[in-house]
Amino acid sequence: MSILNWNEMASNEGLIIFCLIFAVFRIYLEIIGFDFNSLPITKALGNRSGDDRLIRFHRMGLYFSVGYIVFFAPGILFS
């Protein structure tokens, strides 16, 4: 399979639905106000790189989750 053969990659609906569930869960955590800085790995990395950089890292995860839902949910819902 190559990257140019996108029909085979797009036909894996199970993986897309699995990733959509995780994206919705990520947005849910943001809505309820979950503190991502309290996670053990984030605490360990916070000692090295600073809290501001980790806040931006987790914010980028939110943007990726929203983008994934915007681009992939319509294909699943309307197929």
Side-chain angles (χ1 to χ4, degrees), residues 4-78:
L4 298 176
N5 194 0
W6 62 271
N7 278 337
E8 289 181 23
M9 292 184 349
S11 67
N12 194 355
E13 288 185 16
L15 178 64
I16 292 173
I17 291 172
F18 182 74
C19 291
L20 278 172
I21 290 170
F22 276 115
V24 169
F25 183 67
R26 169 63 177 90
I27 293 172
Y28 170 74
L29 289 176
E30 189 71 33
I31 289 172
I32 65 169
F34 182 76
D35 183 22
F36 291 100
N37 290 331
S38 65
L39 295 171
I41 294 175
T42 305
K43 283 182 184 178
L45 292 174
N47 295 337
R48 290 187 192 170
S49 60
D51 291 334
D52 185 46
R53 186 171 180 193
L54 292 174
I55 290 171
R56 287 185 286 146
F57 174 76
H58 286 295
R59 184 66 54 188
M60 187 61 65
L62 174 66
Y63 297 152
F64 282 137
S65 296
V66 169
Y68 193 83
I69 290 172
V70 166
F71 289 117
F72 286 96
I76 294 296
L77 292 175
F78 299 120

